[in-house]
Amino acid sequence: MRMLTFASRNTKEILRDPLNLFFGLGFPLVLISLLSAIQANIPVELFEIQRLTPGITVFGLSFMTLFSATIIAKDRGSSLLQRLYTTPLTPTDFILGYTLPIIPIAIAQCVICYITAIVLGLSITVNILYAVVFIIPISILYIALGLLCGSVFTDKQVGGICGALLTNLSAWLSGVWFDLDLVGGTFKKISYALPFVRAVNMERAVLLGDFSGIFPHIWWVLGYAVALLILAVLLFLRQMKK
Amino acid sequence: MEAIRVENLTKKYKDVVAVDNLSLSVRKGELFSLLGVNGAGKTTTIKMLSCLTKSTSGDAFLNGKSICRDSAAVKSIIAVSPQETAVARGLSVGENLELMCGVHGFTKDKTNAKILELTELLGLKAIIKKKAGKLSGGWQRRLSIAMALISEPEILFLDEPTLGLDVLARSDLWDLIRSLKGKVTIILTTHYMEEAETLSDRIAIMKDGKLLICDTAEKIKKIAKTDNFEQAFINIVKGVIK
């Protein structure tokens, strides 16, 4: 109950910020529409709607990192967290309270992207539902990254690191905007050692109904999600004790 | 009767001794001020007493409960209004109060009753639907104190509650703090000499983590051989009076 009160507050803070709504929901839609328009004029395999949409749904999650990191960093900066540390809220309440509200927002973002994609010509199949379900572990990965950044950086630093650096990294290294084979070499190796392209490939396989194709990407996604979550919890607890 | 007993409390950060062997006691219902220049150890003392920071050595007992061994029990009888306003800026005044009721596990009826009581006591009724982030500094401080009073604390820590406020807002807040005197034990830190002299039953002056003197404003002035409290403070901190 205490945790739910805290989680509800976090949901309100995130959804009441018009910039959050624009970047979280509006920006991915603009990207799908724009790239689909480009695809209609100059056909590129990468931007075909069934390949593009899973990529955009994953890229859109980088804003979830920004949301979670910003709210934690702001709460630390304003001393609201300090106030709440003197209440009966437990460390588990804090971790869940910051994590859980963002999962439905991530799902909503994914659903809206698929609805737009359907309008733009994506075939309606049950695989879309599976793709939405598989977005959950990926969203936990991105939220954990936000929890980690919010526990370490100030809200201004978070804006630069999560808002600029991370969104760009997750874009370049995900294979959404260009085929990683075109660059190859070390760039490709680094990309495949990170979870972003793994998450995109997993979502693409799910949408195509190629469930054997989700391997080994799912292990990378789950591995990173668990590792980042553990690290985020440890860093959050460390700043809590400071 | 004693509300707080501090016994040889010490806090070290690597080579820096922030609070050095502090011992003092505060009576129930007393308004007790901690004074000192920047880095004197006031905020660290409050952080240790409110279980936000662990002491390096020594102990303190709040209504008989040890901050070292029984921090959960201590947290159940205290509240903190930190130096920063520590409000949820995206929530309304009413929602901020609801948040605090929720994290303390109040029922809906108790929540409604408590919000009614505190909005009347602190004059927040007219702005209950206004977003906290849109309030002036003075009103945010009022809200901050209301949030601290939600849990009906036996001991209330006010860390520089009038910092940055204009003369009128400060005067209003003094009236509010006066109205709480006797009902709850208040530990106040401030840089404003007039504030400490006007409001406090007793004052402790700290320097470099050490307690220099602890007495009433009148006695401190007498010991410092001056009628002006600010001058008394300067004499004591500069070591003119031993």
Side-chain angles (χ1 to χ4, degrees):
Chain A
M1 184 62 199
R2 290 185 168 110
M3 184 277 286
L4 289 178
T5 304
F6 181 57
S8 156
R9 171 264 164 177
N10 294 333
T11 308
K12 285 178 191 163
E13 289 268 8
I14 293 168
L15 293 180
R16 284 179 186 178
D17 187 338
L19 274 179
N20 283 349
L21 286 181
F22 173 73
F23 281 106
L25 300 176
F27 194 57
L29 296 188
V30 170
L31 285 175
I32 291 184
S33 307
L34 193 67
L35 293 171
S36 295
I38 293 171
Q39 163 70 12
N41 291 319
I42 310 160
V44 183
E45 192 194 344
L46 195 67
F47 294 161
E48 285 171 359
I49 197 78
Q50 71 275 14
R51 276 178 69 79
L52 178 67
T53 314
I56 298 285
T57 58
V58 173
F59 171 69
L61 294 177
S62 54
F63 295 107
M64 302 304 130
T65 304
L66 184 61
F67 294 168
S68 58
T70 305
I71 194 167
I72 295 167
K74 277 189 177 171
D75 285 352
R76 282 173 51 225
S78 71
S79 289
L80 181 66
L81 262 182
Q82 192 182 318
R83 180 198 289 284
L84 293 173
Y85 289 158
T86 61
T87 69
L89 283 174
T90 63
T92 311
D93 292 332
F94 283 109
I95 305 285
L96 291 177
Y98 278 124
T99 307
L100 295 183
I102 304 180
I103 295 174
I105 300 173
I107 294 172
Q109 183 195 54
C110 182
V111 168
I112 290 169
C113 282
Y114 275 107
I115 290 171
T116 310
I118 289 166
V119 172
L120 292 170
L122 181 71
S123 308
I124 301 174
T125 66
V126 72
N127 294 333
I128 292 177
L129 280 181
Y130 296 137
V132 173
V133 171
F134 274 83
I135 209 77
I136 295 171
I138 308 173
S139 66
I140 291 172
L141 184 159
Y142 277 88
I143 295 166
L145 203 52
L147 193 59
L148 191 154
C149 291
S151 302
V152 177
F153 302 117
T154 65
D155 57 332
K156 278 184 185 166
Q157 290 169 326
V158 157
I161 289 166
C162 296
L165 186 65
L166 187 79
T167 46
N168 275 296
L169 276 182
S170 71
W172 297 340
L173 305 174
S174 65
V176 177
W177 315 112
F178 53 86
D179 195 329
L180 294 175
D181 288 329
L182 292 175
V183 185
T186 309
F187 186 85
K188 189 180 168 186
K189 277 183 192 159
I190 292 171
S191 299
Y192 274 89
L194 292 169
F196 311 117
V197 68
R198 302 288 185 175
V200 171
N201 286 349
M202 183 177 96
E203 279 292 296
R204 281 175 177 160
V206 172
L207 188 64
L208 289 173
D210 172 19
F211 289 98
S212 61
I214 68 172
F215 299 101
H217 309 300
I218 191 167
W219 302 126
W220 283 84
V221 169
L222 292 176
Y224 264 103
V226 170
L228 284 171
L229 201 56
I230 290 170
L231 189 62
V233 169
L234 291 176
L235 287 172
F236 186 83
L237 294 178
R238 193 191 71 156
Q239 67 84 29
M240 201 174 167
K241 284 176 189 162
K242 262 186 179 176
Chain B
M1 226 179 139
E2 256 178 358
I4 300 174
R5 193 173 78 249
V6 180
E7 292 178 352
N8 308 109
L9 203 60
T10 299
K11 179 69 184 179
K12 289 180 185 168
Y13 294 103
K14 291 180 184 166
D15 298 336
V16 180
V17 184
V19 176
D20 191 1
N21 216 23
L22 180 71
S23 295
L24 54 84
S25 73
V26 179
R27 288 187 288 272
K28 260 191 183 148
E30 193 173 20
L31 199 156
F32 187 90
S33 286
L34 282 174
L35 283 187
V37 291
N38 287 336
K42 308 182 298 285
T43 298
T44 307
T45 301
I46 282 197
K47 282 188 173 175
M48 283 192 285
L49 294 180
S50 53
C51 303
L52 286 168
T53 300
K54 280 188 179 161
S55 61
T56 309
S57 62
D59 202 350
F61 300 87
L62 279 69
N63 284 353
K65 296 163 180 78
S66 160
I67 59 164
C68 299
R69 294 188 303 276
D70 206 358
S71 63
V74 170
K75 283 181 180 183
S76 70
I77 58 162
I78 64 160
V80 181
S81 180
Q83 234 173 62
E84 298 79 11
T85 47
V87 298
R89 296 175 63 83
L91 302 191
S92 69
V93 168
E95 286 170 335
N96 266 285
L97 297 174
E98 271 175 26
L99 168 69
M100 294 311 290
C101 290
V103 298
H104 282 100
F106 289 3
T107 61
K108 202 170 171 66
D109 286 345
K110 191 173 178 188
T111 297
N112 291 337
K114 203 73 209 164
I115 290 175
L116 189 68
E117 178 196 329
L118 285 171
T119 48
E120 274 178 8
L121 178 71
L122 284 102
L124 295 168
K125 230 172 174 180
I127 53 157
I128 195 159
K129 290 200 168 135
K130 214 168 175 186
K131 263 195 188 176
K134 305 267 182 202
L135 299 175
S136 67
W139 284 107
Q140 285 195 17
R141 293 275 175 194
R142 270 178 181 261
L143 173 59
S144 176
I145 292 174
M147 288 166 78
L149 289 172
I150 283 277
S151 60
E152 298 170 0
E154 293 169 32
I155 299 166
L156 175 64
F157 294 96
L158 299 176
D159 196 2
E160 301 194 25
T162 60
L163 187 72
L165 297 188
D166 63 41
V167 177
L168 284 180
R170 186 178 301 163
S171 161
D172 284 349
L173 214 58
W174 283 5
D175 289 341
L176 170 64
I177 293 169
R178 273 193 203 101
S179 74
L180 297 172
K181 267 179 90 166
K183 295 173 192 162
V184 53
T185 306
I186 299 174
I187 309 298
L188 175 95
T189 73
T190 181
H191 277 295
Y192 302 112
M193 300 300 130
E194 189 193 352
E195 183 166 292
E197 186 182 9
T198 307
L199 297 175
S200 316
D201 295 313
R202 282 190 308 143
I203 298 165
I205 297 177
M206 294 178 74
K207 186 190 176 189
D208 299 332
K210 287 191 174 76
L211 180 67
L212 299 180
I213 194 167
C214 178
D215 220 317
T216 61
E218 284 309 313
K219 282 192 180 162
I220 289 173
K221 284 191 284 189
K222 206 171 172 184
I223 291 165
K225 297 184 177 78
T226 172
D227 288 337
N228 181 298
F229 185 72
E230 190 165 327
Q231 191 55 51
F233 173 82
I234 293 167
N235 289 351
I236 288 165
V237 170
K238 281 192 169 176
V240 176
I241 304 296
K242 297 281 180 187

